[in-house]
């Protein structure tokens, strides 16, 4: 509990800073992001994650622009998502929207819970916008307006005002797409790309570096503000050692997202997945592996598939013998310890499991390796490692944190 208080104090300090436009921030700023965990959903987390994985692959293969018919799968995991408060419009007062933080898209979209309130800074570009990107389908009109996020005030930010939407979770007013700019390709008529919020903030001198970074603490509670979004740099209090930056993978479709090449080994020498491309994604709850890798992991751990939850389950003895999973990226290996591989036991019943059982967060992505997107390091992984994206050089950074070896689950 002590560490949550510390995070909250940091968050409070960040949000207390008043918005003042056109000030270069020398130090990165952090904003709290709230995790919503919807325990009333009947769908299984594994099915939701698999649907999102399929969606990300389809959109990635289509080059970011899909404009297709609405898919018949729910591509937003309605059980777990992160939201952040975003202000839009001229000040006094701005309208605040509760936006879904999405690594699978890069547009700013208003639509869903709260209607767009036009002010003196709202400009209709005359272009239409339509997309199904990674998560949500919408059509509408492209505007530009002033957007405020914590102490950042970004003018003339392209915003899609959706008049027809599919897939928004309840209580969500829009999407803050934070993925690479390529994901905006052909989403707006008459223009090839839309400058994403953080790129714009950087160009307008609001950030000293075009860097956005993510820290998530393990959350054993249903809803808790346990994430920190940092922009303008990395926040040294949030990681241990150094952040290892490498170029985004060149393998498509992982290359369209926060994609990275990794190999995975179980224990000292059991290969799970040879070096291949995958992504990090906060819209995915679990760690999704290509079917062959998932089977290798299942065999290595002795786990069985549990019908009630759709997740792998192990006995107490098997847990006592569980080995670390090693994710190797070029020369650096990230150890995903046994406790990181299990679902928080305090949340077992929230997913339809037994309080006394042990479920694993490793799940089957639903297709064999070689797809160009063979793993998704979702929330369960991101709460153990700090990640950062540098939009200037398109590099993704990873670091260990004080939670990497946490035994809280
Ligand atoms: C929870 O998830 C279910 C579907 O799984 C959905 O129908 C419901 O609207 C969601 N509730 C919230 C508050 O998001
Ligand atoms: C939604 O917006 C688009 C683009 O401006 C427009 O063509 C369409 O008619 C609108 N639909 C509705 C139902 O308002
Ligand atoms: C986690 O524990 C391993 C030993 O299992 C150790 O090698 C590693 O340095 C620890 N990592 C952190 C970030 O504390």
């Amino acid at each position: 509990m002590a560490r949550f208080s510390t995070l909250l104090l940091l968050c409070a300090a960040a949000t207390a800073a008043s918005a003042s436009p056109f000030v270069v921030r020398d130090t990165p700023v952090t904003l709290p992001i709230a995790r919503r965990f919807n325990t009333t959903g009947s769908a299984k987390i594994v099915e939701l994650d698999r649907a999102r994985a399929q969606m990300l692959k389809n959109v990635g293969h289509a080059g970011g622009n899909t404009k297709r018919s609405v898919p018949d799968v729910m591509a937003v995991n309605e059980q777990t998502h992160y939201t952040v408060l975003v202000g839009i419009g001229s000040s006094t007062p701005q309208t605040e929207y509760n936006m879904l933080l999405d690594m699978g898209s890069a547009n700013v979209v208003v639509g869903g819970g709260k209607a767009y309130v036009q002010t003196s800074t709202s400009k209709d570009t005359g272009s239409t916008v339509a997309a199904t990107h990674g998560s949500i389908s919408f059509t509408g009109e492209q505007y530009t307006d002033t957007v405020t996020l914590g102490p950042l005030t970004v003018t003339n930010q392209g915003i899609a005002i959706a008049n027809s939407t599919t897939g928004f979770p309840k209580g969500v007013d829009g999407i803050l797409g934070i993925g690479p700019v390529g994901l905006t390709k052909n989403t707006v008529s008459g223009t090839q790309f839309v400058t994403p919020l953080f790129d714009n903030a950087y160009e307008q001198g609001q950030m000293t570096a075009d860097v956005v970074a993510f820290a998530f603490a393990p959350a054993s509670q249903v809803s808790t503000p346990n994430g920190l979004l940092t922009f303008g740099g990395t926040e040294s209090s949030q990681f241990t050692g150094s952040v290892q930056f490498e170029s985004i993978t060149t393998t498509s479709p992982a290359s369209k997202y926060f994609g990275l090449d990794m190999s995975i080994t179980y224990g000292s020498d059991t290969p799970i997945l040879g070096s291949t491309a995958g992504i990090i994604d906060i819209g995915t709850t679990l760690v999704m592996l290509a079917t062959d890798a998932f089977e290798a992991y299942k065999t290595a751990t002795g786990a069985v598939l549990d019908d009630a939850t759709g997740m792998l389950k192990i006995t107490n003895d098997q847990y006592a013998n569980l080995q670390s999973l090693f994710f190797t990226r070029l020369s650096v290996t990230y150890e995903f310890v046994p406790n990181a591989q299990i679902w928080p036991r305090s949340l077992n019943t929230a997913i339809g499991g037994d309080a006394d059982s042990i479920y694993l967060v490793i799940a089957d992505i639903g297709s064999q390796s070689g797809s160009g997107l063979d793993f998704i390091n979702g929330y369960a992984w991101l709460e153990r490692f700090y990640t950062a994206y540098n939009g200037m050089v398109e590099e993704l950074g990873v670091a260990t944190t004080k939670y990497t070896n946490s035994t809280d689950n």
Side-chain angles (χ1 to χ4, degrees):
M1 279 304 104
R3 62 167 196 249
F4 287 126
S5 324
T6 312
L7 281 179
L8 287 170
L9 281 177
L10 281 171
C11 301
T15 42
S18 63
S20 57
F22 307 113
V23 174
V24 173
R25 306 276 154 190
D26 290 329
T27 50
V29 290
T30 56
L31 264 194
I33 44 183
R35 180 195 198 198
R36 301 293 154 88
F37 187 74
N38 173 3
T39 57
T40 65
S42 54
K44 291 173 185 161
I45 287 181
V46 176
E47 289 164 8
L48 296 169
D49 275 359
R50 204 171 286 148
R52 179 166 169 90
Q54 192 54 51
M55 193 63 175
L56 291 171
K57 284 186 192 181
N58 292 346
V59 170
H61 277 307
N65 168 34
T66 59
K67 292 188 184 171
R68 296 164 307 148
S69 57
V70 177
D72 60 0
V73 293
M74 184 163 56
V76 170
N77 187 331
E78 286 208 32
Q79 291 193 328
T80 324
H81 56 257
Y82 274 88
T83 55
V84 64
L85 280 177
V86 178
I88 300 181
S90 63
S91 55
T92 60
Q94 278 192 322
T95 305
E96 278 204 318
Y97 300 88
N98 194 31
M99 306 277 246
L100 183 74
L101 201 61
D102 186 22
M103 293 179 174
S105 64
N107 296 68
V108 180
V109 184
V110 170
K114 197 181 272 185
Y116 176 51
V117 177
Q118 294 201 29
T119 63
S120 58
T121 50
S122 310
K123 286 192 203 80
D124 186 344
T125 65
S127 297
T128 56
V129 54
T132 297
H133 31 185
S135 46
I136 288 166
S137 297
F138 63 88
T139 58
E141 190 82 6
Q142 184 75 359
Y143 278 72
T144 59
D145 206 337
T146 300
V147 174
T148 301
L149 183 67
L152 297 184
T153 300
V154 182
T155 57
N156 298 312
Q157 173 62 43
I159 304 170
I161 306 302
N163 59 12
S164 149
T165 58
T166 311
F168 278 86
K170 285 208 178 67
V172 168
D173 305 318
I175 313 166
L176 177 59
I178 51 173
V181 59
L183 290 167
T184 66
K185 192 177 179 186
N186 295 340
T187 51
V188 173
S189 64
T191 179
Q192 205 181 1
F193 295 102
V194 180
T195 309
L197 183 66
F198 290 114
D199 293 356
N200 236 347
Y202 174 70
E203 283 166 18
Q204 292 178 16
Q206 293 270 306
M207 290 170 16
T208 47
D210 191 5
V211 172
V212 54
F214 313 94
F216 304 100
S220 48
Q221 291 163 358
V222 166
S223 281
T224 169
N226 70 330
L228 275 192
L229 177 66
T230 300
F231 28 89
T234 53
E235 173 53 51
S236 58
S237 66
Q238 299 297 312
F239 58 86
T240 53
S242 58
V243 186
Q244 295 288 323
F245 279 95
E246 303 291 348
S247 296
I248 292 286
T249 181
T250 53
T251 304
S252 179
S255 54
K256 307 297 193 307
Y257 303 99
F258 292 153
L260 65 182
D261 293 303
M262 284 185 145
S263 62
I264 307 173
T265 305
Y266 178 78
S268 53
D269 56 7
T270 306
I272 298 294
L273 192 57
S275 184
T276 188
I279 62 172
I280 61 161
D281 178 38
I282 197 56
T284 300
T285 304
L286 305 171
V287 176
M288 308 297 286
L289 299 184
T291 304
D292 43 323
F294 170 79
E295 290 297 340
Y297 176 76
K298 184 167 173 262
T299 303
T301 57
V304 294
L305 206 54
D306 174 62
D307 280 345
T309 57
M311 292 166 65
L312 288 179
K313 187 170 154 177
I314 52 173
T315 63
N316 287 326
D317 283 350
Q318 285 168 332
Y319 179 48
N321 290 316
L322 198 64
Q323 305 293 301
S324 290
L325 268 178
F326 295 94
F327 290 75
T328 302
R329 185 185 190 204
L330 290 175
S331 54
V332 187
T333 296
Y334 301 93
E335 181 173 1
F336 197 59
V337 297
N339 189 261
Q341 296 170 48
I342 70 169
W343 179 255
R345 282 170 277 188
S346 58
L347 293 178
N348 275 0
T349 52
I351 56 165
D354 304 321
D356 299 334
S357 293
I358 302 177
Y359 303 98
L360 296 168
V361 297
I362 308 295
D364 181 0
I365 209 168
S367 55
Q368 301 294 323
S369 60
S371 73
L373 202 168
D374 290 338
F375 61 88
I376 301 180
N377 292 344
Y379 172 73
W381 197 87
L382 293 169
E383 67 176 18
R384 300 290 176 149
F385 299 102
Y386 187 78
T387 52
Y389 176 65
N390 183 335
M392 288 306 290
V393 289
E394 304 203 336
E395 287 182 352
L396 189 69
V398 182
T400 53
T401 78
K402 60 186 166 189
Y403 303 123
T404 299
N405 287 350
S406 160
T407 52
D408 272 15
N409 288 343

